[in-house]
Structure formats: C-alpha cells, structure tokens
Amino acid sequence: MSRRLTKVLLPVGALLVAAAVALAVLQPWSSVAESPAEAKDPVTAKAELTTLTSDLRLNGTLSYGASIALPGRGGTITRLPTAGDVIGVGQAIYEVDGKPVIAMRGDRPFWRDLGVGVENGPDVRQLEQALADLGFGKNMTVDDEFTAVTEANVKAWQKSLGVTKDGVVKLGDVVAITAASVRVESVTAKLGDPAGTSPLKYTSTTLRVVAKLSDAQAREILPATPVTVVLPDGTEAPATVTAVDPGGQPTEKEGETTPPTANVEFTDPAAAEGIGLRAVKVVFAASEVKDALVVPVTALVATTDGGYAVDVLRKKGKVERVVVEVGLIADTRVQIVGGDLAEGDAVVVAQ
C-alpha cells in the first residue's frame, strides 16, 4: 500500500524552500513545458520516504554597526584620537582650542549654551542625567530646569576636568553619544583644521554580524531567532537575530538601494574579539522532516503557470506529468508535499 505525505511547515524550511523554488525556476536541466518530454529510455529515480534535514547558511561580516559622524563646532582642532580608540562617557573625545570636548550619554545633540536662567528644556534634563551618572548629582533633581544646584554640580564637574569653573556648559563643550562608550572608526580631520566639520566617525564597541539576506528571507526571518555563527577558524558561537532591515533605502550611487540585512548579536560579546572584521557564516537551526516523500531536485519541471511538476513513469512506459507542491530542499533532494505521487513511483530526472 502506498503512503501519502501531508504538508509540513517549518520556519527555516520555508526559507530554504523559497531559495530552492527560485533555483527550480531557473533550472538549467528542464525547460518550461506543459507536457512530458518524450524519451525512448528516460532516466528515473524512485520517490522515497525518508528523514530530510537541512539548515540555512547565510554569508555575514563582523561589524561594529553603523558609523556616526561626530558633529563639528567652532574653533581649531588641537588634539585628535586614533582610529580604534574606545572612549567612554566623561572622557575627552577630542580637543578644540586646547580644551577637551567631553562625551556625555544622550540621545539628542546639545544645541545651546546651558546655564542658570536658560529656558527649561529636555537638553537640561539630558545634561543633569549625564552629570548624575558621572557622580556629579549632589542634591540635584533631574528635570528640565537648570537651577543653582545644577550650576554647583556643573562647577564640580568642571573642576574635575581642570577647566574654567563658570557653571555654564557652552555649546561644543560636550557631545552626546548614545552608549556608555564608543569606538573611533575613522578620523577625518587633521590637527589645526577648523572644527566646523565633523572630525571623526564612531561606532558601537560591540562586535556583531551583519548578514546578507534575499528579499524573501527578509520577510521570513524574525528578530529573536536563535542562530549559530561560524567564525573563520571553525569555532561556533551562539547568537541571536536582533533586527532585520528590509533594505530599499537610496544610497549615494544613483539608482542603487541598500540590500536586506539582518543584525546578529553574540550571546557572549567576547566570542569574536581579536579576529578583525572578517567574513563569517550565520547558520539557522536545522530543519527536519520525518517520513518526507522526496525525489531528486533534477526531477522538478517548472510549468508556465508558475507551478511545479514531475514526470512519472507509469505502467507500459507511459510518462505522466504530475503537478506537485514542494517543501524542504536539502542535498539536491526536494520534499513533495502535494500531488499524485507515492512512495516507489519512478520520476524522470534530467540527464
């Protein structure tokens, strides 16, 4: 008695199917047709029930994430960091007119001088929170108002830096960064240059993987998906997809757009330290289908209506074209999840 297979859906398997279906559309071994090709002695293979396993492997690159240009300010640049330097909040990121420009934690740029009498605003709150985080929050309430208490804490902070203690944070004295520390990616200015343009670009200090995706993969892969990153020396490190970018944004080149990508972060951030920004592989958990009805992928025929079929050798040498649905594809074999095909049926394969 022949056994029929019901359809099995697996998240990663769906991605592999999408890739394999694209291969089937472009397959060099079979032309689009509506009727079986005639052959005196067709080469066949048996449809069989087996356990089919596969995984999805994507190309990726180690990265510190998107680079951010540090805003410029007035004056002359008198000191610069070196590419690769890690600078934390409270530290000087560079120097203008002999005075340090200090990195402070914040999500928005500072846009005005801040001192007693300034109009209330979210930049005051950001400054007060940053001062408190650095240990200069004595008796201070973090809010939108710049008070005498705020001024006293600013003076204490200025004293620690060895700069003039006037209680005013002038525009350009500090620069907001969005993390506890940043890594200098590149320095674009030279000593003595006007400080009006961006002097450098910085990134996160945490290594992650940016994996290239197809449009279909960008639709299917979800954040929080566990993966394994295979490093250049073969070491496997557990990681998780943290974000998926569908791409499509314009680039500097006319007519080009950004490709779909996935950001992948390591469970242990130290896993890839010291190896440079190298190419890696991102492996999604294996998909497994038990009792899968499979045939060679070279048995697939793409039909003009966008579907798929196989040619089945019936009794007395008759070849019948059978419309099928495909499932998981692995190791040149394809799972058949729908259609009039049974275990033991002989399917014609391309020669």
Side-chain angles (χ1 to χ4, degrees):
M1 180 180 294
S2 66
R3 296 175 59 190
R4 299 292 179 182
L5 187 68
T6 56
K7 189 169 184 178
V8 179
L9 296 178
L10 294 173
V12 177
L15 296 171
L16 291 160
V17 170
V21 165
L23 177 64
V25 171
L26 299 174
Q27 59 175 300
W29 59 79
S30 180
S31 302
V32 173
E34 287 298 339
S35 59
E38 293 184 1
K40 291 183 178 179
D41 298 303
V43 177
T44 63
K46 297 288 186 180
E48 60 178 343
L49 286 167
T50 186
T51 297
L52 192 64
T53 60
S54 184
D55 54 31
L56 175 65
R57 291 175 175 257
L58 300 177
N59 292 323
T61 304
L62 291 172
S63 170
Y64 286 101
S67 61
I68 301 172
L70 195 75
R73 51 157 292 176
T76 301
I77 295 174
T78 51
R79 189 182 69 80
L80 286 164
T82 301
D85 285 353
V86 174
I87 298 168
V89 293
Q91 297 179 332
I93 197 163
Y94 73 121
E95 188 181 272
V96 174
D97 295 339
K99 297 178 181 179
V101 178
I102 305 300
M104 280 194 167
R105 186 73 176 264
D107 295 326
R108 65 175 70 210
F110 291 99
W111 70 88
R112 57 177 176 165
D113 295 348
L114 296 176
V116 172
V118 73
E119 184 178 349
N120 292 0
D123 52 341
V124 176
R125 180 183 293 271
Q126 180 170 278
L127 174 66
E128 290 180 339
Q129 184 62 62
L131 288 169
D133 291 344
L134 293 172
F136 300 97
K138 185 177 180 180
N139 300 323
M140 183 173 65
T141 299
V142 176
D143 55 20
D144 292 348
E145 183 181 6
F146 195 109
T147 65
V149 175
T150 309
E151 181 184 51
N153 281 287
V154 169
K155 287 181 178 180
W157 168 68
Q158 290 173 329
K159 180 180 179 180
S160 73
L161 296 174
V163 299
T164 303
K165 298 183 296 177
D166 58 7
V168 177
V169 180
K170 296 181 177 63
L171 180 62
D173 286 351
V174 296
V175 61
I177 61 175
T178 58
S181 60
V182 295
R183 171 185 170 273
V184 178
E185 180 187 59
S186 62
V187 177
T188 54
K190 301 186 298 293
L191 294 180
D193 281 353
T197 56
S198 173
L200 58 89
K201 293 182 178 180
Y202 67 87
T203 67
S204 164
T205 58
T206 303
L207 269 175
R208 75 285 309 270
V209 178
V210 177
K212 299 177 181 178
L213 306 178
S214 67
D215 290 337
Q217 290 165 348
R219 291 191 297 268
E220 296 286 347
I221 292 175
L222 299 176
T225 300
V227 297
T228 299
V229 177
V230 182
L231 301 176
D233 64 356
T235 301
E236 296 185 351
T240 303
V241 176
T242 55
V244 176
D245 180 357
Q249 299 300 313
T251 66
E252 295 178 355
K253 293 185 178 181
E254 186 176 355
E256 289 190 4
T257 57
T258 57
T261 58
N263 285 341
V264 177
E265 294 191 3
F266 292 98
T267 302
D268 178 7
E273 285 184 357
I275 66 173
L277 304 182
R278 306 277 297 280
V280 297
K281 293 289 185 182
V282 179
V283 183
F284 285 73
S287 296
E288 181 178 281
V289 181
K290 294 182 178 180
D291 291 330
L293 181 64
V294 301
V295 298
V297 72
T298 50
L300 286 178
V301 177
T303 59
T304 55
D305 62 359
Y308 303 93
V310 293
D311 290 338
V312 182
L313 185 63
R314 301 297 191 189
K315 294 180 179 180
K316 298 182 180 181
K318 179 183 178 182
V319 176
E320 177 188 0
R321 178 149 296 175
V322 176
V323 175
V324 295
E325 295 180 55
V326 299
L328 184 66
I329 290 185
D331 299 327
T332 71
R333 296 184 299 171
V334 56
Q335 176 194 10
I336 303 301
V337 297
D340 186 18
L341 190 70
E343 180 185 11
D345 283 348
V347 295
V348 178
V349 297
Q351 300 184 48

